[in-house]
Amino acid sequence: MIHALRSISRLYRPLSRCLSSSIEPLVSGTRRGLFKDVFPAETARLQLSELLSSGPQTVYCGFDPTADSLHVGNLLALLGLLHFHRAGHHVIAVVGGATAQIGDPSGRNQEREPLSPERVEENVLGIRDSLHRIFANHEPGGRVTVLDNAAWYRQRSAVEFLASVGRHFRMGTLLSRHSVQSRLSSAEGMSLTEFTYQVFQAYDFYYLNQKHGCKIQLGGTDQLGNLMSGHDFIHRTTGEDVFGILLPLITSTTGDKLGKSAGNAVWLNRARTSPFEFYQYFVRQQDSNVERFLKLFTFLPLPEIEHIMEQHAKEPEKRIPQKRLAAEVTKLVHGKEGLESAKSHLQTGIKHGRHGRSLSREVHSGPVS
């Protein structure tokens, strides 16, 4: 699949000056390392390019509301949507008010703690606010829609859903998914509830395909099995070709993906992580991470990032790339006001000698896998 993305980049490199804006997010995202793989690998290389060139498309990504805020581990998915949004494509962010009660087993070694419907509803509101704020902080582009998947499950009974949807899935295929295999071989095993998660996510893709013409889903590399299930279900029932684009996961030095489950989350809602703390997280990044993070988390042109890194090589003590990274991402998440607040807090702290030591510490954020 990596070969497929590299082929897309090579295919359009000679045409970069006349490249249509509609295909640009795929090529640019690949060059920046934001888009790691495509699915299905054997056909997506050309078909996805042709689809994007044909006119504005609808691209979606899902976010389960297992807390009342998104965290930095969700940022790449948002950046992926924003790249397509900037190019005039329509993007849908689905908040999983239904699937949060099921629990995604991908990348986990034990089942999630169940959430009450009331808690899920509160979390949905918090995440919707985050999504609307971040898109509002960005420049205009295609249409942005935020949906809650509970809306299309509320009126369906379990029996009716299994009778009409479940019959299109094959047990052998579902059991072969990595997320399932890794859990079945563990001491805790896997509940039926978790096992059905991929069916619900596949149906989400199908629903958006039928109601909104969505043919592209974004997801982390740990979501490949779920993306495959959605692709297979749609192709089996409609004959349509749909595609998945996989994004890298941000991991800690221990190899755990950054998120609340690991206890190391940096939240996107200021009530949980202030703009100053958020800014500090990025300004503390190690030299070994900062160039890659500038490519992943910002929209700075690649030549500008190269120039910033050249300055850094001459004057590393100034931490120019870290400061630029922190400023760009803080402005994206918290707006200009949030960035000004963070910088004001920083200057006040330095003036009174409170943050000098913390600025010299580096957070070990680990590689992007």
Side-chain angles (χ1 to χ4, degrees):
M1 284 189 282
I2 294 174
H3 173 73
L5 278 177
R6 288 174 177 167
S7 298
I8 291 172
S9 184
R10 288 197 300 269
L11 178 66
Y12 283 94
R13 192 176 296 134
L15 305 176
S16 58
R17 289 188 177 181
C18 58
L19 191 66
S20 69
S21 61
S22 59
I23 191 70
E24 175 61 23
L26 184 62
V27 178
S28 175
T30 302
R31 291 175 179 168
R32 301 177 80 94
L34 178 62
F35 299 148
K36 189 172 184 180
D37 288 327
V38 291
F39 179 84
E42 61 274 13
T43 59
R45 180 169 65 90
L46 291 178
Q47 289 184 351
L48 189 53
S49 302
E50 292 171 357
L51 177 66
L52 292 169
S53 298
S54 67
Q57 299 300 315
T58 300
V59 184
Y60 111 89
C61 188
F63 304 88
D64 276 351
T66 51
D68 61 1
S69 171
L70 298 175
H71 51 77
V72 72
N74 302 120
L75 265 180
L76 288 191
L78 287 169
L79 266 294
L81 289 178
L82 284 169
H83 272 278
F84 282 101
H85 172 65
R86 286 163 62 95
H89 296 290
H90 308 311
V91 299
I92 299 176
V94 174
V95 185
T99 43
Q101 298 180 64
I102 304 296
D104 185 1
S106 303
R108 295 183 59 84
N109 54 26
Q110 61 183 8
E111 190 167 5
R112 296 178 184 272
E113 289 293 324
L115 297 172
S116 69
E118 294 76 19
R119 178 65 181 276
V120 170
E121 188 173 347
E122 291 176 5
N123 292 348
V124 167
L125 293 175
I127 289 179
R128 288 180 74 106
D129 287 346
S130 293
L131 291 167
H132 285 300
R133 183 184 71 249
I134 290 171
F135 279 108
N137 289 339
H138 202 61
E139 62 186 50
R143 184 174 61 248
V144 176
T145 306
V146 179
L147 302 174
D148 179 357
N149 66 7
W152 51 87
Y153 290 112
R154 284 196 185 101
Q155 305 305 318
R156 307 197 70 163
S157 71
V159 171
E160 184 272 330
F161 183 78
L162 288 173
S164 61
V165 176
R167 68 177 64 256
H168 296 287
F169 293 84
R170 295 295 174 261
M171 288 297 299
T173 304
L174 297 178
L175 285 166
S176 70
R177 305 302 189 207
H178 176 72
S179 61
V180 174
Q181 286 293 311
S182 61
R183 288 294 298 279
L184 289 179
S185 61
S186 69
E188 183 175 320
M190 185 181 218
S191 72
L192 174 62
T193 302
E194 287 183 295
F195 180 71
T196 64
Y197 184 90
Q198 59 182 308
V199 176
F200 282 93
Q201 184 165 321
Y203 184 79
D204 285 349
F205 197 179
Y206 168 84
Y207 179 90
L208 295 172
N209 174 262
Q210 295 298 295
K211 300 294 185 180
H212 297 273
C214 179
K215 294 184 178 182
I216 303 170
Q217 180 181 358
L218 303 185
T221 52
D222 62 342
Q223 295 293 308
L224 177 58
N226 295 331
L227 287 170
M228 293 169 72
S229 293
H231 169 273
D232 293 350
F233 176 48
I234 293 170
H235 194 71
R236 181 187 295 268
T237 54
T238 71
E240 284 195 55
D241 290 318
V242 294
F243 307 93
I245 299 178
L246 299 175
L247 306 105
L249 299 177
I250 307 171
T251 61
S252 67
T253 50
T254 61
D256 296 323
K257 65 178 183 179
L258 293 187
K260 56 195 177 300
S261 302
N264 56 10
V266 176
W267 302 94
L268 306 192
N269 282 8
R270 64 171 61 202
R272 283 181 170 263
T273 300
S274 71
F276 169 71
E277 292 169 325
F278 188 84
Y279 180 93
Q280 285 283 77
Y281 171 77
F282 284 98
V283 88
R284 292 172 183 167
Q285 290 301 319
Q286 298 178 18
D287 286 353
S288 58
N289 287 332
V290 69
E291 181 176 5
R292 199 171 192 189
F293 279 16
L294 280 167
K295 293 176 181 177
L296 291 172
F297 290 112
T298 78
F299 295 94
L300 296 176
L302 294 180
E304 184 173 350
I305 293 175
E306 184 178 350
H307 176 66
I308 290 171
M309 296 310 300
E310 289 173 354
Q311 290 180 298
H312 182 60
K314 296 175 183 177
E315 301 176 297
E317 71 282 356
K318 291 187 177 181
R319 299 179 67 79
I320 295 172
Q322 282 89 344
K323 292 176 182 177
R324 186 64 183 275
L325 172 68
E328 292 292 325
V329 184
T330 304
K331 183 169 65 174
L332 172 68
V333 173
H334 293 292
K336 292 181 180 179
E337 179 274 330
L339 176 59
E340 291 172 1
S341 171
K343 288 186 172 181
S344 175
H345 190 160
L346 176 63
Q347 291 302 319
T348 301
I350 291 175
K351 182 178 180 181
H352 293 89
R354 290 199 299 267
H355 301 308
R357 184 178 177 182
S358 66
L359 273 173
S360 66
R361 281 202 320 268
E362 291 182 346
V363 171
H364 297 281
S365 66
V368 175
S369 63

